[in-house]
Amino acid sequence: MKNEYVKLNEFMEQSGKTVAVTGAGISYLYGMRRLKKLIGVRSSRQVFSASYVRQHPEKFYTLIRDTFLDATFVKGPSAGS
C-alpha cells in the first residue's frame, strides 16, 4: 500500500494541477447545501439518472446550480477545508 501512496504523490507532483472529487462531507464543510435534504435520499438517485436529466434538463440544471455551482463559483476551489 505504501508504494501506491508514493506513486500517487509522484503523479501529483508531476501534474502541476490536481483535482480531487470527494464525497458530500467536504462539500458541506465548504458551505454547499446538502442535496439529500433538499430532494430526499431516494429522489437523489433518480435526479442523477440519465433518463431524468434528459427528461428534465432545466430542473436538473437549476438544482445543480443552486446546490453546487453557485457555491463553487462564488468561493472558488476548496483547498480541502
Side-chain angles (χ1 to χ4, degrees):
M1 187 67 115
K2 184 178 178 183
N3 290 340
E4 291 174 352
Y5 290 122
V6 170
K7 190 150 191 111
L8 175 62
N9 187 53
E10 290 172 3
F11 287 143
M12 290 174 67
E13 286 179 353
Q14 292 172 5
S15 74
K17 295 185 181 189
T18 302
V19 175
V21 179
T22 66
I26 199 164
S27 300
Y28 182 72
L29 292 173
Y30 190 57
M32 293 182 180
R33 298 165 67 191
R34 289 185 184 242
L35 183 63
K36 289 180 180 179
K37 284 192 175 186
L38 291 173
I39 62 174
V41 176
R42 290 187 181 146
S43 298
S44 66
R45 290 188 191 107
Q46 176 190 358
V47 167
F48 285 101
S49 71
S51 61
Y52 183 88
V53 174
R54 281 193 294 272
Q55 291 172 2
H56 309 284
E58 295 85 10
K59 286 182 183 180
F60 177 79
Y61 178 75
T62 299
L63 176 67
I64 296 304
R65 184 195 64 218
D66 293 348
T67 308
F68 303 113
L69 297 179
D70 286 349
T72 301
F73 290 125
V74 169
K75 295 182 177 192
S78 167
S81 298

